[in-house]
Amino acid sequence: MEVEETGETRTSWYVAPGETHTVPCDHAGKKRKQDSAPEPVIRIIEDDEEEEEGELVSDHMKDSEEPSNKRVKPVAKSNSLTGVITPVKTPALKRIGQSISRSISFRTEARPLPPAPIRSRTKASSFPRRRNSQCWSDTVESHDLTAKEIKRQEVIYELTQGERQLIEDLSLVKKVYYEPMLKLDIMTESELGQIFGTLDSLIPLHEDLLSRLERLKGSEKTVGEVGPTLMNWFPCLEAYVTYCCNQVGAKALLDQKKQEKRVEHFLRLCQESSFSRKLDLWNFLDLPRSRLVKYPLLLKEIQKCTPPDHPDEDTLPDALELIQSIVAEVNKKTGEAECQFYRRGLTYLEESQRAPEIQQSRFLYCHGELKNNKGQRLHVFLFELAMVLTRPGEGREGAQVFQVYRQPLPNALLNLEEIPDGEAGGGSTFRGAFTGGNDKVKNCFRVSSRGRPKAHSHSLQANDSFSKQQWITCLRQAIVQSRDRTAQTSQSQLSPHSDPALYHMAELSLSSDTEMADHTSR
């Protein structure tokens, strides 16, 4: 699923599944003019900077008492270097920078320059708020735990803090985004309901877990047995099925509404505000899904740090199995919802394009933009049973639609051929569209339909080598699974002792199209 959006080509992979912060710093002010004679300067020293300023004046006076018998650069030239040194908020580093600046610009042939006035500091509230990265060890004064037990407490503390931060973020989304947009009539209640889905109902679930974890803390802020608590709470996460299934349509509607100037202006102002930490609305809406897939990872870490004789040793494996099954179910249902959403968005020029394999598909392997040998950008969908090339467009009310291009290709009949980088293949049209006229091509592959005319062959180019490899991996998987399904449905002659799961395993080679056809015909 798509978690973020950039200006580059986007590709979504159906694969079951962190945050950067800007460190604020002050910037140097304007350069000081060099006067022929020093003028008295009125200096205002803040209370918290008296000690540092006194140090500066002391060093300055010391410099002025030294005889100037060394050759120095003219002030007009050396003074320009002071703007290169950017003062920072760390006092030690700031003093180093001031010392270097003084050695360059405060010494003249006979007279020192007057000290610079102290500038008031920029207010910190104008910068984005940062998360508190405190560890469990920082919250206790002393302990006599082993290194393994300390690690266990750290992971449990991370679990607890993650719940607290998620509750804060979801409450912020409701207060700062949903309620103002509804009150200001930036979007209708129906549109907001579709975009935010059941987000509001998730807050009490995580508040419940947070309160349970807090009650487990002992007198020394240590948590003993955590397995039964998680085992009893995890079934509540089935509510995520509804929320995550709604996200596909929610993202599409949000992207559509961002085209409206009023919506775009409101969301931009929110993103630039300190509370957002430079995250956009969709980052916040996707936080629950990101949190869901993190539970199995946290449980594995807790289990790894749990000694064999600990009470959690019996319950943690069951809790881990439970949460993994819930995540798998959410992924399955989300994949089905995504498949249905994009199936509804397909438009057909001819009835013959309505391949039954499209309607029978239950999920998407992947989808994204690729270029064909004419240089056209296509949005390609690899459904469970068919590969569909489309041209993206805009339908009624600004909704995005996908017009089916040529005939869909059933996965069971697909042949896949990788085109090595630099190979001059496919004719001059192919080279001209992909490379601007030279003889080298990159990140390309070819798909065709076995037993059909060459008109059903498509040479496609991915955005980069990573995207190309993802497409090839998904196509190979789709081909093998579709042919296995066809073979089982038609009750092909298989050895009674052979494993159906290993059937067609030799077909994984990209250059084995002939062998695959021979193997299937036998």
Side-chain angles (χ1 to χ4, degrees), residues 237-491:
L237 292 175
E238 292 178 357
Y240 269 66
V241 172
T242 304
Y243 181 78
C244 291
C245 287
N246 178 72
Q247 278 195 301
V248 184
K251 181 66 165 61
L253 179 58
L254 179 61
D255 290 341
Q256 176 186 334
K257 297 299 293 184
K258 282 181 179 179
Q259 305 303 316
E260 299 179 12
K261 189 173 181 180
R262 196 171 177 218
V263 175
E264 188 275 335
H265 180 67
F266 176 84
L267 295 179
R268 179 166 49 81
L269 288 179
C270 289
Q271 186 172 353
E272 292 172 355
S273 300
S274 60
F275 60 78
S276 73
R277 308 192 305 278
K278 299 301 181 182
L279 302 176
D280 64 12
L281 174 57
W282 183 251
N283 290 132
F284 285 107
L285 294 177
D286 197 44
L287 285 175
R289 184 201 59 79
S290 302
R291 183 64 181 169
L292 176 67
V293 299
K294 195 171 183 180
Y295 287 122
L297 303 177
L298 290 170
L299 250 69
K300 287 179 182 178
E301 285 298 314
I302 296 175
Q303 189 177 15
K304 190 186 302 182
C305 304
T306 301
D309 57 344
H310 197 281
D312 268 346
E313 185 66 19
D314 296 329
T315 53
L316 281 178
D318 295 335
L320 179 60
E321 183 179 354
L322 176 60
I323 187 59
Q324 286 176 333
S325 65
I326 292 175
V327 172
E329 180 67 14
V330 172
N331 278 335
K332 178 184 175 184
K333 296 295 184 182
T334 303
E336 292 175 356
E338 183 183 28
C339 182
Q340 293 174 8
F341 176 81
Y342 286 115
R343 275 205 321 244
R344 290 194 300 266
L346 297 178
T347 60
Y348 302 88
L349 294 176
E350 302 174 4
E351 282 299 314
S352 61
Q353 294 177 327
R354 296 181 181 274
E357 290 86 354
I358 299 176
Q359 297 304 318
Q360 294 169 8
S361 295
R362 297 164 298 173
F363 63 87
L364 270 168
Y365 284 102
C366 62
H367 69 95
E369 284 190 356
L370 296 170
K371 283 174 62 177
N372 65 5
N373 60 345
K374 297 180 181 178
Q376 298 172 329
R377 290 194 173 274
L378 303 176
H379 198 101
V380 181
F381 296 92
L382 183 59
F383 289 98
E384 179 190 12
L385 301 175
M387 184 177 186
V388 184
L389 285 71
T390 70
R391 289 171 173 164
E394 194 172 294
R396 292 178 298 177
E397 300 179 357
Q400 189 174 33
V401 296
F402 302 92
Q403 186 182 84
V404 176
Y405 175 76
R406 305 290 177 83
Q407 286 294 121
L409 307 177
N411 293 346
L413 302 177
L414 271 179
N415 287 331
L416 174 63
E417 177 188 355
E418 182 177 7
I419 301 174
D421 289 351
E423 179 176 311
S428 58
T429 304
F430 183 88
R431 294 194 299 271
F434 284 165
T435 64
N438 59 37
D439 292 333
K440 294 184 179 181
V441 295
K442 282 188 176 182
N443 309 320
C444 298
F445 59 93
R446 184 181 291 110
V447 290
S448 57
S449 185
R450 191 156 41 91
R452 296 195 178 188
K454 286 190 175 181
H456 291 84
S457 174
H458 301 278
S459 298
L460 302 169
Q461 183 183 40
N463 188 51
D464 50 44
S465 58
F466 175 78
S467 179
K468 171 189 174 179
Q469 196 56 49
Q470 291 291 324
W471 275 104
I472 289 176
T473 301
C474 290
L475 281 164
R476 289 163 61 182
Q477 184 181 3
I479 291 170
V480 171
Q481 292 186 358
S482 294
R483 291 181 183 177
D484 282 344
R485 172 174 171 157
T486 302
Q488 292 172 2
T489 304
S490 61
Q491 297 180 351

Side-chain angles (χ1 to χ4, degrees), residues 19-80:
E19 166 179 280
T20 58
H21 307 288
T22 348
V23 179
C25 64
D26 297 334
H27 296 278
K30 298 180 180 178
K31 297 179 183 177
R32 184 173 58 251
K33 284 188 175 182
Q34 171 67 44
D35 296 329
S36 55
E39 296 289 339
V41 179
I42 300 175
R43 305 187 322 167
I44 302 174
I45 304 177
E46 298 179 0
D47 294 338
D48 60 348
E49 296 180 350
E50 285 183 359
E51 182 180 349
E52 185 175 333
E53 178 62 20
E55 190 178 314
L56 187 152
V57 174
S58 176
D59 290 346
H60 175 205
M61 294 301 294
K62 187 183 297 183
D63 287 342
S64 64
E65 294 171 1
E66 293 178 357
S68 180
N69 53 7
K70 297 181 181 180
R71 293 188 62 186
V72 295
K73 295 182 180 179
V75 176
K77 293 182 180 179
S78 61
N79 198 29
S80 62

